[in-house]
Amino acid sequence: MAKRHSTRTGHLELLFLRLEELVLANSGEDEFEEIFKLLIAKLWDERNQLGQFRDQGDADRTAAAINNLLQQAVREWPGVLDESNSRLTPGHLAICVDALSRHTLSEESLEVLDGFFEFLVARGTKGAKGQFFTPRPVVELCVRMLRPMPEETVLDPACGSGGFLIHTLNHIRSTAGGNGRPPDLWGFDFDGRTVRVARALLMLAGADASNIVRTNSLIQPQTSRAVQRQADSSTIESVCASRIQQNGGFDVILTNPPFAGDVRERQLLDRYHLAQGKPRVERDILFLERCVNLLRPGGRMAIVLPQNKFSAAAYGSLREWLLRETRVLAVVGLGRHTFLPHTHQKACVLLLRKPLDGKQTQRDYEIFFAVSERDGKDSKGQFIFKNGSTGSIWERVDHDLDAIAAGFDSFCEAEGVWGE
């Protein structure tokens, strides 16, 4: 019997590339969908200790066993798979099963599976849409700076594979233990594949994955029915009606909206203050206004935006609107390698709080500024790890974001930010 072993993300990536070379590229089927089904079947088999994800001695029997696992997973993990059978031929499927059965996925941390799922999705078309997955050290920085707490309602309206939500859950579990009700996590994204990945990861983390919904987060309740029908989606308000009504909005928003692309639909733009009188508006600007409006009074937010929104003269009115409508807490400049190998786009993290009275009246106040000079990546976008490092990716990668998070904590204490 082949020796079983656990693996790291890089090993899983090599495995996928090998399967792609041997089988998937010649199968005529969607590579992401078929490898995703195999992973779900493997995880279901391991979680329930069924011992069925293996070579059954015959390709047809192996295929029948895998499809049976998929059918069980579809029933118990709704919304993760679009269909309950592999489209690979029994011969192709048997080769993939034999290779993957040598790995034990359930022994790995969510971090490893998260990284591999993102690797699979990133091989698609997300980069062309300006939708780049947020490096996990940056996600962890945002969570540590914003400090979500038990019982709070947390939203990511561009959730991708759920990185901000997973890190929020892990942060609360590590800092609060079992005290208090778990956070109310909500994620929305227009990309169906990433929504299914996010649901899978949250289920594996023991969280409620039914709150991960596919929708166009920029559509508001007042947007014309024609635009809503075209998007074939609900609004955040309609999905979260009771939560928003009870709290007046979300307690915490953590997000990294798409960097690229303009919105031109007049009926959608008419619902945004920052789009008034303009024929088109960059998508991330609309996300910023949308997030501010979705916060409850006193709610707080961390959002990753391109650096030009903070420096270019063309966005002066945007910055004036931010200062008028919110209490800006911090701006953190991220390193130039942060989003490599996908893009050279420089970005910043903006942290803010929505005033209790709805508008910012204190015109003069201190803002925390920081620039990361060690982003933990090389010029090819590969993580730079500390020698002999262990633990999470936050602990292993050679970055200075921990110092920035500590500096922000000291700033908040000195300024009495959270007591305002």
Side-chain angles (χ1 to χ4, degrees):
M1 179 179 292
K3 180 181 179 181
R4 292 178 179 270
H5 59 83
S6 59
T7 187
R8 290 188 177 181
T9 306
H11 293 159
L12 279 175
E13 291 174 5
L14 292 175
L15 170 63
F16 171 76
L17 293 173
R18 183 60 176 160
L19 292 176
E20 182 181 47
E21 177 186 351
L22 289 174
V23 176
L24 297 176
N26 299 317
S27 71
E29 301 298 340
D30 186 293
E31 296 167 6
F32 169 86
E33 294 296 341
E34 295 311 312
I35 199 69
F36 187 60
K37 290 174 194 173
L38 283 166
L39 289 170
I40 295 301
K42 183 75 163 69
L43 289 165
W44 177 259
D45 182 75
E46 291 180 4
R47 171 159 289 199
N48 294 282
Q49 299 181 339
L50 301 175
Q52 294 301 302
F53 194 99
R54 57 181 173 80
D55 183 355
Q56 302 282 340
D58 175 84
D60 288 332
R61 285 199 297 270
T62 299
I66 299 307
N67 287 328
N68 183 51
L69 291 173
L70 288 172
Q71 290 157 16
Q72 294 177 46
V74 165
R75 288 195 298 269
E76 298 300 322
W77 291 344
V80 172
L81 294 174
D82 280 347
E83 56 184 356
S84 58
N85 288 285
S86 173
R87 290 177 175 266
L88 296 176
T89 65
H92 282 166
L93 183 57
I95 294 173
C96 295
V97 169
D98 181 62
L100 190 54
S101 65
R102 304 167 190 267
H103 299 261
T104 305
L105 301 181
S106 59
E107 294 179 359
E108 301 300 339
S109 66
L110 277 176
E111 182 177 276
V112 171
L113 296 175
D114 177 31
F116 181 50
F117 281 141
E118 289 205 347
F119 166 78
L120 291 181
V121 177
R123 291 178 62 81
T125 60
K126 290 188 71 67
K129 304 174 186 177
Q131 296 169 269
F132 305 107
F133 290 117
T134 316
R136 291 313 184 241
V138 175
V139 172
E140 184 67 18
L141 171 71
C142 295
V143 171
R144 291 186 178 216
M145 293 179 76
L146 220 51
R147 298 191 295 184
M149 296 179 290
E151 303 185 15
E152 287 193 309
T153 302
V154 181
L155 166 70
D156 183 352
C159 70
S161 63
F164 282 108
L165 302 177
I166 293 291
H167 279 249
T168 294
L169 184 64
N170 290 340
H171 173 81
I172 292 175
R173 284 174 173 172
S174 64
T175 57
N179 299 324
R181 179 173 59 83
D184 198 10
L185 303 176
W186 290 87
F188 297 83
D189 201 285
F190 195 59
D191 188 301
R193 286 184 171 179
T194 59
V195 164
R196 289 191 283 126
V197 169
R199 287 173 181 162
L201 288 170
L202 282 168
M203 286 178 182
L204 292 170
D208 183 2
S210 64
N211 292 350
I212 309 300
V213 180
R214 183 183 182 186
T215 191
N216 181 349
S217 296
L218 293 179
I219 293 179
Q220 302 185 57
Q222 304 89 345
T223 307
S224 75
R225 293 187 180 276
V227 174
Q228 292 192 40
R229 283 196 301 270
Q230 182 182 7
D232 189 27
S233 58
S234 303
T235 66
I236 293 176
E237 286 85 352
S238 65
V239 175
C240 306
S242 61
R243 275 77 173 178
I244 292 176
Q245 186 174 6
Q246 290 171 6
N247 299 336
F250 292 90
D251 297 301
V252 175
I253 295 178
L254 294 138
T255 194
N256 176 16
F259 282 1
D262 293 341
V263 175
R264 300 169 183 264
E265 295 92 336
R266 187 72 262 159
Q267 293 172 315
L268 195 154
L269 293 177
D270 284 344
R271 305 308 309 171
Y272 287 86
H273 172 81
L274 294 173
Q276 296 304 305
K278 298 178 181 178
R280 65 180 186 273
V281 178
E282 291 169 48
R283 196 174 305 275
D284 53 6
I285 292 178
L286 298 186
F287 262 100
L288 176 59
E289 180 176 339
R290 183 79 164 114
C291 289
V292 169
N293 291 336
L294 285 167
L295 278 177
R296 69 164 176 81
R300 57 205 191 280
M301 178 172 81
I303 183 171
V304 182
L305 294 169
Q307 181 175 280
N308 61 355
K309 302 300 185 294
F310 302 90
S311 57
Y315 301 103
S317 59
L318 168 65
R319 296 190 290 273
E320 291 177 2
W321 177 85
L322 269 174
L323 292 171
R324 184 171 63 250
E325 299 293 328
T326 75
R327 162 54 154 115
V328 176
L329 301 174
V331 178
V332 177
L334 301 176
R336 61 192 180 95
H337 295 150
T338 299
F339 284 93
L340 290 177
H342 307 295
T343 178
H344 287 85
Q345 174 78 64
K346 289 201 67 175
C348 297
V349 176
L350 169 68
L351 275 79
L352 57 83
R353 190 179 61 214
K354 192 169 184 177
L356 289 170
D357 61 1
K359 294 219 173 180
Q360 182 56 249
T361 55
Q362 182 183 354
R363 300 298 299 173
D364 296 319
Y365 55 83
E366 297 294 322
I367 299 174
F368 177 84
F369 288 95
V371 176
S372 173
E373 297 179 341
R374 200 169 74 252
D375 53 29
K377 283 190 175 183
D378 61 23
S379 59
K380 294 182 179 180
Q382 300 300 309
F383 281 121
I384 300 172
F385 293 100
K386 303 172 186 174
N387 290 332
S389 61
T390 59
S392 69
I393 195 168
W394 171 268
E395 296 163 320
R396 300 196 319 270
V397 171
D398 185 22
H399 61 74
D400 58 4
L401 302 180
D402 48 354
I404 292 175
F408 180 69
D409 285 344
S410 298
F411 166 83
C412 291
E413 183 176 354
E415 295 294 322
V417 167
W418 303 126
E420 293 178 1

